[in-house]
Amino acid sequence: MKVRRMEKRLSLMEKLAIPEILKGLSITFRNMFRPKVTRQYPEERYEAPIALKGQPLLVENEDGTPRCVACSMCEVVCPAMAITIKAEETERYIEREPEEFSIDMLRCILCGLCEEVCPKEAIIMSDRYELANFTRESLVFHKDRLMTPIKELEGRIRFTKEKFDKWHR
Amino acid sequence: MSPDTNKAETTYTSILVDGKEYQAPLGGRLIDFLHSIGKEIPHFCYHQGLPVAASCRQCQIESKGKGPRPGLAVSCRETIIEGMEILTDSELVRKARAGVMEFLLINHPLDCPICDKAGECMLQDTAYATGQDRGRTHEPRRHLDKRKSLGDKILLDNERCILCTRCVRFFEAVTKEPQLTVLDRGDRSYLSTFMGDPLHGNYQGNIVDLCPVGALTLKKFRFKSRVWFLHSTETVCGLCSRGCNISVETRDNKILRIRPRHNPNINDFWMCDEGRLEFDRYNLEVTETRLPSPFYRDSQGHQVPTNLQEALDQAAPLLLRNPKVLFVLSPFATIEEGWAFKEMVETLERFGLEPEMGYYQPDPNAKGDEFLHTDEPAPNCKGLREEVGLKAIPPESLEGQDPTRLALIGFGFGELLGRACLETIAAQGPLLHLGIRSDLFPNALVRLAGWSPMEKAGHWIAACGTKQYLRPALRPPALSGDDFQLLTRLQERILTWDEEQFEIQDKEELGNQTQGTEEVRT
């Protein structure tokens, strides 16, 4: 087969090379004084916006009790079947709480349906996005790792309240 | 049972429902008829098996022209008369029902996420269908005792109660022994037992099924699972010869709850607490209490797990060597297993042996009650006696037997045999045991792993003579086998037993015992 090569014919200025190098360096120097768009990731952390759907967490009340009542709505709605719940009875006025609550983060697709369906605002998509580890077992999060004090999640709780209220109006 | 089904003859009359003409039984109950033609009439206090109270006012319909009287009427209280004209979905009816719902929900706690009834709650369903999605009251809700124990089986949540009085009427009309009542008046009324005593009797569990909301819950099922995860199988209860129709509700291969099904000829809508609560005997943990595979006892007396073929190889010479084996079939066995059992034993007779056989007839002194529970604590005695033609073996005749010539076939000996009798048999071990429990006969020569009645299909004959079909609700362990199949395989193994192999294995022990065998074989 006959191959046609399209080669650009260089002008005299280009053949000299030095003006071209200077042209290129001018771009480099110009960008040195512009604001940076990349960051030194592990040292400089990314501040996630409030709308980010990160690792789902369980809300812990001020008195250390879980907000979750183990109603299993998130277990039903979860499209990846990542959630497993076992309920138990408590002595509190709210008589039910999860004995076992685990989210398999290998399965979780961070869709946020569990947060939306929860009648108690007990499961909240946090801003934690670093979800990598070396073993499978370490990525099945149990109740002790999921329970987070309500103070850390207040912003997102307020955000979801406004969002869902707008939808359901 | 609705009153119109009891009548010998039913005359029909034409009535107008939503402008359409229907032939309705004259004198029948209107709400039953409306349900039968597919109209959904929401109701809480009305139940087909109970007397009418008409206290919830949810089943209202509009009557026009020639009716009871023009305007709103409660359809559970109306009987069908000639020339009736009613509307089930008019503007007036919808408004009335929504109003009733609003009143019912004023003090209802709305703790559906916690409530075990959620998903099968009539109040929840009706609130979605006819109610409003938000309340108009600002007053605090009424607070009552949320965890009141009514005896050892049932828990009462007074906040959730809507005072339909179904449970009150159940004890008044069905067991004829009133135990519950509504105390106080008006908006302060609440449900209570007399003097706060715990409930007693064998039929308390039915009020949990009757309760249209989650006020009465079973302690054994409390918080075990959400109801929509349960898988329900329609089968028959085996704890007495009544043969109550039940639906077995399972999750992850465990029975979590048993509820009665409607059968007007046998159990109506009800069942006893024994059948409802004692399902742990079916929920055995494999390798802890459940026999995972066949076992045989080796010459040192150790139990050795094995596969089915080897176990049958061990069992066949044992049966051929003992001229007088007493084969006892459990009354939990199905009719099909009865036939296979009979054929298997008759095969041995063809070898010139003299085996005896029969089914175990449980303690005749056991007493049932006047309502559902019969005197026989086993499901299929009648079927094995009359359909299969097996002889009854009462407990007395089993007690004096030499345990080493016993072969106990089927589920349920652990529960049916007396403690003393069990211990004497287990000390020396029966010759052959086919069952599901691993702790029962640790010294048996051969143990075959069978299936429980919740795992197999077959037929039982109830005390009233009805033949009923069993459906499998649970998955059995992998290395166990259907009792019917095990019995036929054993029969096959006896028939195809290789004489030569037999002799090489135990030449000295054979002795005179197999003389008869040779006669037949040659």
Side-chain angles (χ1 to χ4, degrees):
Chain A
M1 210 174 110
K2 199 178 168 189
V3 180
R4 274 177 68 194
R5 292 235 167 99
M6 299 289 286
E7 279 181 16
K8 196 191 169 194
R9 208 163 278 172
L10 297 178
S11 65
L12 179 70
M13 284 295 273
E14 282 164 347
K15 277 178 183 166
L16 284 175
I18 291 168
E20 290 300 308
I21 290 172
L22 290 176
K23 212 194 266 177
L25 280 175
S26 74
I27 296 172
T28 313
F29 282 113
R30 201 159 62 233
N31 276 302
M32 275 170 76
F33 301 104
R34 282 192 178 163
K36 287 171 200 158
V37 289
T38 56
R39 73 178 70 222
Q40 299 296 316
Y41 165 59
E43 289 83 33
E44 282 177 47
R45 311 205 76 79
Y46 170 62
E47 285 272 322
I50 197 75
L52 180 108
K53 291 186 278 192
Q55 153 81 47
L57 292 173
L58 285 178
V59 179
E60 187 184 286
N61 290 326
E62 277 95 350
D63 55 354
T65 53
R67 264 198 182 186
C68 175
V69 295
C71 73
S72 292
M73 291 309 288
C74 50
E75 195 180 359
V76 171
V77 81
C78 182
M81 296 188 201
I83 302 176
T84 314
I85 301 171
K86 211 174 150 196
E88 69 173 356
E89 183 151 9
T90 66
E91 293 302 313
R92 291 184 290 143
Y93 176 72
I94 294 172
E95 48 201 345
R96 182 171 164 134
E97 70 171 35
E99 182 194 353
E100 186 194 315
F101 193 112
S102 65
I103 302 179
D104 188 346
M105 287 313 293
L106 294 161
R107 287 186 158 208
C108 178
I109 55 170
L110 304 173
C111 64
L113 283 177
C114 49
E115 179 191 53
E116 188 183 339
V117 82
C118 184
K120 297 278 175 191
E121 288 168 354
I123 185 164
I124 288 292
M125 307 300 281
S126 66
D127 54 0
R128 296 185 194 169
Y129 51 86
E130 287 153 323
L131 300 169
N133 214 325
F134 294 101
T135 57
R136 284 171 182 272
E137 294 75 37
S138 63
L139 281 166
V140 180
F141 283 54
H142 291 286
K143 197 175 135 189
D144 49 341
R145 274 178 84 183
L146 293 170
M147 291 272 278
T148 318
I150 189 166
K151 270 188 188 157
E152 292 176 32
L153 300 167
E154 255 169 357
R156 177 74 188 180
I157 294 174
R158 211 177 306 121
F159 173 76
T160 49
K161 226 177 220 170
E162 282 166 19
K163 184 174 71 171
F164 298 143
D165 197 41
K166 209 185 288 170
W167 290 358
H168 297 311
R169 200 169 285 159
Chain B
M1 277 173 280
S2 54
D4 51 317
T5 54
N6 293 338
K7 281 186 185 170
E9 278 177 39
T10 317
T11 47
Y12 286 86
T13 179
S14 71
I15 64 168
L16 274 174
V17 180
D18 293 338
K20 208 174 158 190
E21 201 175 317
Y22 290 94
Q23 291 295 314
L26 195 65
R29 200 171 281 159
L30 183 60
I31 190 168
D32 286 343
F33 176 71
L34 292 175
H35 283 152
S36 73
I37 60 171
K39 301 276 177 200
E40 276 189 24
I41 311 293
H43 58 283
F44 301 122
C45 71
Y46 174 67
H47 189 275
Q48 278 192 320
L50 297 174
V52 175
S55 64
C56 74
R57 320 308 284 183
Q58 186 64 33
C59 62
Q60 293 182 101
I61 42 106
E62 192 181 347
S63 171
K64 293 188 97 181
K66 271 194 195 170
R69 56 197 171 279
L72 290 169
V74 191
S75 62
C76 67
R77 182 136 262 187
E78 297 301 335
T79 48
I80 294 169
I81 55 165
E82 233 175 300
M84 234 176 179
E85 194 185 337
I86 55 167
L87 296 173
T88 62
D89 202 22
S90 68
E91 189 57 40
L92 185 66
V93 169
R94 271 197 298 255
K95 216 177 153 190
R97 287 182 190 161
V100 169
M101 271 316 287
E102 198 172 359
F103 276 126
L104 285 175
L105 292 177
I106 282 178
N107 278 317
H108 196 75
L110 302 182
D111 53 357
C112 301
I114 297 171
C115 180
D116 265 336
K117 198 79 177 185
E120 56 180 14
C121 173
M122 295 169 84
L123 190 72
Q124 201 181 29
D125 295 347
T126 317
Y128 274 115
T130 61
Q132 301 167 350
D133 63 346
R134 55 200 70 196
R136 289 187 286 168
T137 53
H138 301 287
E139 291 77 20
R141 280 163 198 269
R142 185 174 66 151
H143 283 293
L144 289 165
D145 199 353
K146 266 188 95 63
R147 264 175 284 192
K148 191 175 175 190
S149 176
L150 301 181
D152 52 349
K153 294 171 188 165
I154 289 169
L155 205 77
L156 167 66
D157 187 333
N158 259 322
E159 281 188 4
R160 291 182 194 151
C161 179
I162 57 167
L163 299 168
C164 69
T165 68
R166 273 187 181 188
C167 47
V168 176
R169 281 175 286 145
F170 171 78
F171 283 122
E172 277 170 8
V174 181
T175 63
K176 308 270 192 302
E177 192 185 8
Q179 294 189 45
L180 280 166
T181 187
V182 176
L183 291 182
D184 234 325
R185 285 192 192 179
D187 67 338
R188 269 173 286 174
S189 343
Y190 65 96
L191 186 72
S192 170
T193 51
F194 295 114
M195 313 293 289
D197 290 344
L199 293 178
H200 56 87
N202 199 17
Y203 294 92
Q204 307 165 22
N206 292 307
I207 62 173
V208 175
D209 295 337
L210 283 174
C211 187
V213 293
L216 294 160
T217 47
L218 216 54
K219 283 183 180 172
K220 192 159 183 176
F221 183 65
R222 193 166 159 85
F223 302 160
K224 282 285 179 304
S225 168
R226 310 298 348 234
V227 293
W228 52 81
F229 290 126
L230 296 175
H231 183 266
S232 162
T233 313
E234 298 187 343
T235 182
V236 181
C237 178
L239 295 196
C240 78
S241 57
R242 171 73 62 180
C244 291
N245 291 207
I246 54 170
S247 69
V248 177
E249 304 191 351
T250 57
R251 186 184 180 188
D252 296 341
N253 211 28
K254 284 263 177 298
I255 300 176
L256 291 184
R257 172 166 83 161
I258 292 179
R259 297 203 298 169
R261 277 186 293 137
H262 178 42
N263 186 337
N265 298 324
I266 292 177
N267 58 324
D268 211 350
F269 295 93
W270 325 116
M271 75 182 290
C272 69
D273 287 352
E274 196 187 332
R276 183 189 297 269
L277 299 171
E278 293 194 7
F279 51 76
D280 288 337
R281 60 180 70 180
Y282 305 116
N283 282 348
L284 299 181
E285 285 292 332
V286 173
T287 70
E288 281 170 32
T289 42
R290 176 78 194 239
L291 200 62
S293 67
F295 277 77
Y296 70 90
R297 196 172 74 181
D298 64 7
S299 49
Q300 276 92 44
H302 299 302
Q303 288 286 335
V304 185
T306 178
N307 60 24
L308 178 60
Q309 196 57 48
E310 269 183 43
L312 294 177
D313 286 348
Q314 295 282 335
L318 282 177
L319 298 179
L320 286 165
R321 190 185 300 152
N322 287 284
K324 283 188 178 174
V325 182
L326 175 59
F327 286 92
V328 187
L329 185 66
S330 158
F332 277 87
T334 59
I335 292 169
E336 290 82 351
E337 285 157 24
W339 284 114
F341 171 79
K342 201 177 171 190
E343 294 223 345
M344 194 265 291
V345 181
E346 280 169 359
T347 310
L348 286 171
E349 280 171 11
R350 282 169 51 198
F351 284 89
L353 306 173
E354 292 164 2
E356 289 176 61
M357 65 170 161
Y359 73 93
Y360 179 75
Q361 175 75 43
D363 193 2
N365 299 325
K367 275 279 161 280
D369 50 40
E370 298 85 49
F371 186 31
L372 286 180
H373 203 287
T374 58
D375 297 344
E376 271 179 350
N380 199 23
C381 295
K382 193 186 173 90
L384 296 176
R385 185 170 57 235
E386 289 171 16
E387 180 111 358
V388 186
L390 290 175
K391 188 180 71 177
I393 297 180
E396 308 90 72
S397 66
L398 205 61
E399 269 158 23
Q401 295 294 335
D402 175 17
T404 51
R405 59 173 282 249
L406 271 179
L408 302 175
I409 309 289
F411 166 87
F413 280 108
E415 287 81 16
L416 291 173
L417 290 175
R419 200 185 169 79
C421 184
L422 260 182
E423 276 170 10
T424 41
I425 294 175
Q428 296 179 32
L431 196 65
L432 173 69
H433 177 232
L434 193 161
I436 73 161
R437 274 172 65 176
S438 61
D439 54 340
L440 208 54
F441 299 114
N443 291 324
L445 292 183
V446 176
R447 288 191 289 172
L448 297 174
W451 288 0
S452 77
M454 291 293 162
E455 287 156 2
K456 61 195 175 192
H459 288 89
W460 279 342
I461 293 184
C464 63
T466 313
K467 194 185 273 183
Q468 301 194 96
Y469 182 54
L470 296 179
R471 288 178 185 80
L474 297 174
R475 281 190 317 279
L479 290 174
S480 62
D482 189 1
D483 294 13
F484 175 81
Q485 205 190 359
L486 294 181
L487 288 168
T488 47
R489 292 274 305 263
L490 184 58
Q491 182 195 6
E492 188 192 342
R493 196 74 200 90
I494 292 166
L495 277 171
T496 59
W497 184 254
D498 190 358
E499 196 84 25
E500 221 175 300
Q501 189 190 357
F502 191 39
E503 280 178 14
I504 291 166
Q505 277 194 340
D506 301 333
K507 216 167 193 176
E508 307 94 66
E509 283 184 37
L510 278 177
N512 302 327
Q513 289 176 356
T514 49
Q515 272 179 0
T517 322
E518 282 163 319
E519 273 169 38
V520 176
R521 287 228 148 175
T522 47

